[in-house]
Amino acid sequence: MEAYAVKRILEEYKHAVIDFGAGHSVYEDMGLFQQVEKTLKPYQSLFLLLPSADKEESIQLLHQRLQQITDDKDVFELNKHFVTHLSNEMLAKQTIYTKEKSADTVAEEIILSISKE
């Protein structure tokens, strides 16, 4: 369903900023991954946002944030899976590390990167 959602959203919102969550970028099925990869291929502005280049640090920082809203161990394991899965890196054209940056600073980085294209 997520692969279909990616395609439909991009068809409907051609000139928009779209925030896909990890569920839309992580695929265990290679056929679904290839469908999404093909759908995203023409887009240059595909960003992966992670707290840190160090995956373990990213997992820990995200775990700390999640603790504020849940104590569900399954959510923590799922989040770890999303951070370490290769699909994200394979689909993203650029990665931005967000640790200790404000949302405005991250937005400015994205805008600056897009304006260079």
Side-chain angles (χ1 to χ4, degrees):
M1 182 171 7
E2 287 86 358
Y4 176 75
V6 169
K7 184 176 183 203
R8 291 285 300 151
I9 289 168
L10 291 172
E11 287 172 352
E12 297 225 5
Y13 301 97
K14 295 193 182 296
H15 304 288
V17 173
I18 300 166
D19 175 14
F20 288 120
H24 293 90
S25 61
V26 172
Y27 296 91
E28 304 306 324
D29 179 290
M30 187 52 73
L32 291 175
F33 173 80
Q34 289 171 339
Q35 286 178 28
V36 172
E37 185 177 44
K38 182 179 177 183
T39 299
L40 295 176
K41 187 173 181 149
Y43 297 90
Q44 293 305 306
S45 300
L46 298 172
F47 296 90
L48 171 61
L49 304 181
L50 287 172
S52 169
D54 181 306
K55 288 186 182 186
E56 282 304 315
E57 183 180 21
S58 286
I59 291 165
Q60 291 306 314
L61 291 168
L62 293 170
H63 180 81
Q64 290 169 4
R65 292 179 196 169
L66 281 172
Q67 280 183 314
Q68 297 173 15
I69 58 172
T70 186
D71 61 357
D72 184 343
K73 301 296 183 214
D74 291 337
V75 172
F76 299 131
E77 285 303 311
L78 186 59
N79 200 51
K80 180 179 179 179
H81 176 71
F82 287 152
V83 169
T84 59
H85 201 283
L86 291 178
S87 291
N88 289 316
E89 293 173 27
M90 293 170 70
L91 292 173
K93 304 277 171 75
Q94 297 178 58
T95 301
I96 294 181
Y97 300 107
T98 62
K99 180 182 171 186
E100 298 177 5
K101 294 179 185 174
S102 69
D104 287 342
T105 300
V106 173
E108 288 171 14
E109 276 188 58
I110 292 170
I111 292 166
L112 181 62
S113 178
I114 292 170
S115 67
K116 290 179 180 178
E117 292 176 2

